[in-house]
């Protein structure tokens, strides 16, 4: 089809947004629109400028015969901080307190637009970590894991507590749940993670870190490496956590079951040590 | 910020795509860009034309003081048929056959870009069904359910086999799994579905339909109604299915465990009776 610049800008913007972290040769667009590569380059610099001004992301250009352009999603630090602050306020509602020191979070995790936005913060944070796959634990880690993976354009491996017959051969490990000190089992289908993958672990909630520690061991069983760890909420844990390098979006820092009072703060993602923009 | 048309087109395209099924007043854009409403209207007609030509969706205009513009995602029938055909070819690989007549599908379900595309087909199909919430069964229905819900801008309710302590009071029902004739339990957190919701049920696999039948009963327990039912794959079932009105994307129509042969066809979504475009 033949488009004027205005039409091309709309169509290319949609294409970039739906193909993150994917290199596209310039010739793809010039053939699609029957336009000169020079016009396409101009289109792309307009899109790039808006994407960068509005912190939608950037468009990286790779030169050479195998070159092309790649959309890398990003987030605006100030907007992300605002989003996380609002999330903390929502989480601090005492109605969420459940027996055992848990928080009701399904309304947060059940909102697909919000989970996309939260996933995008992790995807932006780990955009240079050369992630090959995202790993998460069923059930509640799945929505955010998919949002992260979608923005990074990598597959998801879902670890489960049970053994299910519908997935062929599985790899199981035992692990000690950190807060309850109970031995549990987690399994992953042999086919669902390629060996030598660089794996980003994403979960909804971390107390002592036992489940995440288990997933780290499972990654090793697949001869793979850890690209990073991200949790939506980290909880109070008196003893030393079993995991050191993790990124959290929110932190449940104080809780009084008797007076039904909880305090939720932004997690460590905005700490200076993590240099949000430059990682 | 002040933008020229080209910049506005890029930014507005991004805004529409990330706010599906959400009415936006024209004044939002005219204030954001400090532009006349007439210029914004022209921008929107350019975007609308490209969206409709490329089957990205449409932009509906509501007149009046409370009026505005709403992006309704859609899909191209031909491209969707092509995507489903390719999916059938992938599913027909005999290596997927697992004991018990199950198919290994985690590579499909584990691909966030593919699940987004499949979810978009359901969202387009049910775009006029006034869906308030999407319901699915943990674990494997979740990725597609979120993709559907994201495109419809509604929350997700995750039904589970187990009782988990982290969700407060739950509603449980017993149901008979259709193929194994075994009594099982499914639960949904009381807080995770509002009464009087119109619920779209989405699942990955349907054999006799017992699980979906159970979810339909659960919807009733929440004084809610069924907006529709969508499954990624329906399997062979000799007896009558327990569910009548459902939309399937693919159909496992023949299977021979001995010779390791399976046949997978497109589901009923493209049948004339469903009038894909006009529902």
């Amino acid at each position: 089809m033949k488009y004027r610049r205005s039409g091309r800008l709309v169509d290319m913007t949609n294409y970039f947004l739906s193909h993150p972290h994917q290199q596209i040769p310039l010739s793809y667009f010039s053939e699609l629109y029957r336009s000169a590569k020079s016009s396409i380059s101009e289109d792309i610099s307009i899109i790039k400028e808006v994407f960068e001004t509005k912190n939608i992301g950037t468009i990286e250009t790779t030169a050479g015969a195998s070159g092309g352009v790649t959309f890398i999603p990003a987030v605006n630090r100030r907007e992300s901080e605002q989003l996380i602050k609002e999330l903390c306020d929502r989480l601090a509602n005492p109605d969420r307190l459940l027996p055992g020191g848990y928080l009701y979070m399904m309304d947060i995790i059940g909102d697909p637009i919000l989970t996309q936005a939260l996933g995008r913060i992790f995807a932006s944070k780990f955009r240079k970590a050369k992630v090959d796959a995202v790993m998460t634990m069923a059930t509640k880690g799945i929505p955010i894991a998919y949002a992260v993976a979608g923005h990074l354009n990598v597959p998801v491996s879902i670890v489960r507590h049970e053994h299910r017959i519908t997935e062929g051969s599985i790899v199981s490990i035992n692990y000690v749940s950190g807060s309850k000190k109970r031995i549990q089992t987690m399994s992953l289908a042999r086919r669902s993670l390629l060996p030598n993958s660089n794996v980003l672990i994403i979960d909804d909630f971390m107390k002592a870190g036992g489940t995440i520690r288990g997933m780290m061991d499972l990654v090793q069983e697949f001869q793979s490496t850890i690209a990073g760890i991200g949790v939506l909420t980290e909880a109070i844990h008196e003893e030393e956590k079993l995991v050191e390098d993790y990124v959290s979006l929110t932190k449940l820092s104080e809780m009084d079951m008797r007076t039904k009072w909880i305090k939720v703060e932004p997690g460590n993602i905005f700490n200076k040590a993590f240099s949000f923009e430059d990682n």
Side-chain angles (χ1 to χ4, degrees), chain A:
Chain A
M1 73 208 63
K2 184 85 183 159
Y3 270 129
R4 290 210 265 174
R5 164 146 297 151
S6 54
R8 290 199 307 263
L9 288 174
V10 173
D11 197 47
M12 287 169 80
T13 297
N14 173 60
Y15 195 87
F16 279 122
L17 293 172
S18 50
H19 294 80
H21 283 274
Q22 200 169 311
Q23 186 171 295
I24 306 147
L26 275 194
S27 56
Y28 172 80
F29 292 120
S30 62
E31 282 163 25
L32 181 64
Y33 305 126
R34 294 184 218 141
S35 301
K37 281 197 182 175
S38 57
S39 309
I40 299 296
S41 291
E42 280 173 48
D43 297 342
I44 289 173
S45 49
I46 293 169
I47 296 172
K48 181 180 159 86
E49 198 191 327
V50 177
F51 277 14
E52 291 182 350
T53 310
K54 297 296 288 278
N55 288 285
I56 296 164
T58 187
I59 293 174
E60 289 182 354
T61 304
T62 321
S66 67
V69 285
T70 309
F71 165 54
I72 314 287
V75 290
N76 178 312
R77 186 183 172 123
R78 202 176 43 77
E79 283 171 19
S80 299
E81 284 181 330
Q82 185 58 32
L83 179 70
I84 297 299
K85 215 188 141 296
E86 287 166 16
L87 182 60
C88 290
D89 292 343
R90 282 180 68 185
L91 286 174
N93 183 338
D95 288 347
R96 294 185 179 277
L97 261 182
L98 297 171
Y102 288 94
L103 278 195
Y104 181 79
M105 291 175 67
M106 262 316 293
D107 57 328
I108 310 281
I109 292 169
D111 177 344
I113 308 280
L114 178 57
T115 51
Q116 278 296 321
L118 298 173
R120 193 174 177 127
I121 296 176
F122 282 127
S124 179
K125 169 76 191 158
F126 292 106
R127 70 190 180 279
K128 292 179 182 168
K130 299 194 185 306
V131 175
D132 296 314
V134 168
M135 176 184 276
T136 191
M137 187 80 186
T139 305
K140 287 189 284 186
I142 300 176
I144 293 172
Y146 270 80
V148 178
H151 287 121
L152 291 174
N153 190 25
V154 299
V156 181
S157 300
I158 302 176
V159 179
R160 303 215 230 161
H161 277 298
E162 77 260 62
H163 301 242
R164 285 293 295 259
I165 75 168
T166 59
E167 300 193 355
S169 75
I170 57 174
V171 177
S172 291
I173 60 158
N174 291 322
Y175 70 103
V176 181
S177 119
S179 34
K180 294 186 213 129
K181 306 251 190 271
R182 216 173 51 198
I183 292 193
Q184 295 189 276
T185 304
M186 60 169 74
S187 316
L188 182 63
R190 171 62 72 194
R191 294 195 219 181
S192 93
L193 179 63
L194 288 175
N196 304 311
S197 295
N198 198 28
V199 180
L200 174 59
I201 295 175
I202 297 288
D203 211 353
D204 61 316
F205 201 77
M206 180 174 85
K207 224 165 169 176
T211 305
I212 296 210
R213 188 77 246 171
M215 283 195 268
M216 292 171 77
D217 293 345
L218 200 52
V219 166
Q220 276 208 325
E221 289 292 324
F222 283 79
Q223 290 80 49
S224 292
T225 50
I226 308 285
I229 296 163
V231 296
L232 173 56
T233 303
E234 58 168 310
I236 311 157
H237 182 63
E238 279 71 29
E239 298 159 56
E240 205 183 344
K241 280 200 188 334
L242 299 166
V243 177
E244 275 179 20
D245 285 329
Y246 61 87
V247 175
S248 62
L249 296 189
T250 59
K251 185 175 181 171
L252 175 56
S253 53
E254 291 176 47
M255 169 185 284
D256 186 332
M257 285 301 283
R258 200 180 43 83
T259 59
K260 285 223 163 205
W261 182 79
I262 48 181
K263 185 174 169 193
V264 184
E265 302 172 292
N268 66 20
I269 189 161
F270 299 117
N271 286 3
K272 264 196 191 143
F274 276 106
S275 74
F276 189 66
E277 276 84 9
D278 313 320
N279 182 31

